[in-house]
Amino acid sequence: MSEVVLREVTKKFGDTIALDSVSSYFPRGKITVVLGPSGSGKSTLLRIISGLENPDRGDIIIDGEEVEGLEPYQRGVAMVFQYPALFPHLSVYDNIAFGLEPLKLDKKEIDDRVKAAAETLEIKDLLDRYPSMLSGGEMQRVALARALVVRPRILLLDEPLSHLDVNLRTKLRRELVDLQRRLSITFIYVTHDQDEALEISDHLIILNQGKVIEEGEPLKIYLAPNSIESARFLSHNIIVINDELISFPPEAVILDGDDEYGVVESIYPARGYGSIAIRWTNNVIYAYVPLEQIQNLSQGATIRFSINYELVRKWGKRGVGGGELHRV
Amino acid sequence: MASLYIIIYLLMFLLPSLLILLRIDLDGIFRLLHLDFLLNSFIFTVSQSLWSSILSVIIGGAAGYILALSETKLSSILRGVGLASFMAPPIVVAYGFTLLYGEAGLITQFIPILSFLGTGFSGIVAAHVFYNSPLAMNLVFAGLSGIPRDEFDAMSIYGRNLRYLTRKIFIPYLLPSAFASFLLTFLYSFTSLAIPLVIGGKPSLWTIEAYIYWIMKYLLDTKLAIALTLVQLLIMALFAYLYLYFSKSLISPEISPYRIGFLRGWQRYISLSYLIILLLYLVMPFISILYSSFRNPYTNTFTLEGYMEVFGGRFSNILGTSHINILINTFYYAFMVTIISISLSIVLSYLNNMYLNLSALLPLAFSPVTLGLGMYLFYLNVPEFRWVAIVAAHVAASLPLVSRSIDIGFTRIPKELLEASEVFNVRGLYRLLKVILPLMKEPLMIAASLALVVSLGEFGATLLLHNPQTTTLSIAIYKLRAARRFMAASAEASILMAITMIILIYIARKSGRWI
């Protein structure tokens, strides 16, 4: 179990600033998720922690020790990539053992570790196969096993589930959380998927355009973001009322209430819950609706609802004038 | 369009080649079996090819390995120079080696021990290594560069040391490329003509290819030449088949630009020194030619004499024609070859028929002199067709390269664009002209450049087919050197080299990914 601290880390690629003075904390034995859109710098952040890239400026501190200049293996990290990166000419067994041979362990120790990891990840039957004979999910399990056998202090995961289908992604996501709870390794997990981030993170960092825009407890950030960028990235409703910019999550719209009137513009059914777009004042806002309720709605119908004002964030006046939040 | 391709293909390659087989005579084969020199020539040809292939793979492969694993500015320079070496006209290379490492060569007069590089068996092997080590370098480089970025990262995270990674990952990855470059080098060295003629000199150092040329040109013994060609053809077909079989897995269209500094500290310094030595080895023959074209070896002064002699027509008696005529021939043939081979290749790509595509690769199994022999038998009954025979031989030699380049360009046109044109009912010739060709501007230019380079530098077939009126620059260099007119030969070689280099620089700048 290790903790990681980044201090003022900056990285440029040519004229592009990938990371701009990033300072962050990755707590010991927890899952920290770095959430951000494509090109926000999250993979660069991971590569810098791993030692695959060197920062132009700033410090990386693992367990109180500055690790600049250390090779990846000297940092005690392992990494799972977006694509499994298995070596096609090596069997599953040899792929898992890949990081163990240079440790000069005896054969029995290597064998024990490989088999134990295979057992944990339920791939014991695949050890003699080659990567071309595996499914996407199996390959990612092998990649995880390869990472775990070296007994890393920190496991870095770079969108490891992003190319899997939805069902498998959900299943593996939960298995990853269980695995982390059992092993208590520090996980640093990068994703652009908000649902994934909220589901698995103990600690959430939101990165945008190379800057940390928010960091903390995931649910707290989701319900009450500290910046308009976070609110936008978390798909909150962002509207202007009386020249004031406000935001609130779709969950803040309560269909049982009767404070406001609106018109249903669109209905989007989905598994578990659906969402609807409501025209309210001059804005369109989105609300989540349980599936059983969505069946009773129709496009163009007038709908009554309330807004949980505890979840509304105000971001200041826009232009002159303005005033209190307008109630219809 | 298919019938048009087939007619031109029949005339430019297939019928002349089939004629060789049709003219096989048992008398020629029996006489061949009783010739002592055949066995010696066979042993020499095979052994020099083996040595050339092994050394090219080791020397070039090591460079490819270093380039793939390190970030160095030398990379683009070395790959560019490598392309120049590999595509350089053979007579220019052979001549450059004799100037550098031959008797009283530019280098051997200071370091006599290096004379083994310019004479005899070792000289032939050294020149073949010059030619083919860039091939091994590029194939190994491409083989390792095809490793996805994530796998490189996984190696950095888990691999720890270079020796372990080399054994476990890099060698399995580079073995197919190394083997393919071994087979190709063997093929090229086996059919080498200019190098054994110029560097080897004496018949005991002639390849089978050189003997075929000699028997046909000087003994005028067609039966014997055909019998010997048959032996060579069988061996070449075997190696060409092996190459095509093993190279299937080699196609690595996109080279990842990603490099990670696996070579550090002393490994890096040794590697860079190695690359610099290889670079010098590849550049020196070209420099020596340019230098010799301005230096009078007898008065030891710098002068434009060589160029003045060439342009002043002083050696028309040796060459049998004027320099201007030689230039016109060279460019006229190159231009014709480019038009024909590009047209054939476009038709091939458009038709996308497996058998027709294979037909374009078939000339790979034919050596230049064999191509020349076929054209000789097919066309030279009518003396006026001599230039047609030369053009046809050049077309056949360039077709595999040109068609591959255009085919790669064709397959990289986004499928969606072709489908979109079909949706809007843009089909047939109109689609070819309006959609496909404009999208293939770059590969077409590269393919045209390749056709030009092949034709400009072609030596074997032209040497067999030419007469004074159809002499090209390559032949002029060979004849002037044989007549010991070194300044004039160097001037001619410099002109040919300069033209070829301009085209090659264009190819290198437009990226080698279309080749």
Side-chain angles (χ1 to χ4, degrees), chain B residues 81 85 100 130 278-288:
Chain B
V81 170
S85 311
L100 269 180
F130 166 92
L278 183 63
L279 188 66
L280 287 175
Y281 185 67
L282 297 179
V283 165
M284 287 302 281
F286 299 124
I287 295 175
S288 72

Side-chain angles (χ1 to χ4, degrees), chain A residues 89-122:
Chain A
H89 60 288
L90 300 181
S91 67
V92 166
Y93 184 99
D94 288 335
N95 262 294
I96 298 174
F98 180 73
L100 293 176
E101 283 187 48
L103 296 175
K104 299 203 165 51
L105 302 174
D106 63 54
K107 276 198 168 164
K108 190 176 175 311
E109 170 79 10
I110 291 176
D111 195 53
D112 289 346
R113 284 207 202 180
V114 170
K115 285 182 177 154
E119 180 96 50
T120 307
L121 287 148
E122 298 170 20

Side-chain angles (χ1 to χ4, degrees), chain B residues 41 44 119-122 124 193 195-207 210-211 214 478 481:
Chain B
S41 169
F44 165 75
T119 48
F121 185 93
S122 54
I124 291 170
L193 177 68
I195 288 166
L197 283 183
V198 173
I199 297 177
K202 53 188 177 184
S204 62
L205 294 174
W206 281 2
T207 51
Y211 270 109
W214 179 69
Y478 179 68
R481 187 205 161 266

Side-chain angles (χ1 to χ4, degrees), chain A residues 47 71 79 89 98 101, chain B residues 153 158 164 168 258 264:
Chain A
R47 293 171 65 78
E71 296 289 332
M79 192 160 173
H89 60 288
F98 180 73
E101 283 187 48
Chain B
D153 286 344
Y158 304 112
Y164 173 66
K168 200 87 178 173
Y258 184 65
R264 291 173 196 172

Side-chain angles (χ1 to χ4, degrees), chain B residues 165-186:
Chain B
L165 288 177
T166 303
R167 177 171 60 83
K168 200 87 178 173
I169 307 293
F170 297 140
I171 287 181
Y173 261 103
L174 64 79
L175 266 183
S177 327
F179 190 57
S181 41
F182 171 85
L183 291 172
L184 266 185
T185 307
F186 191 93

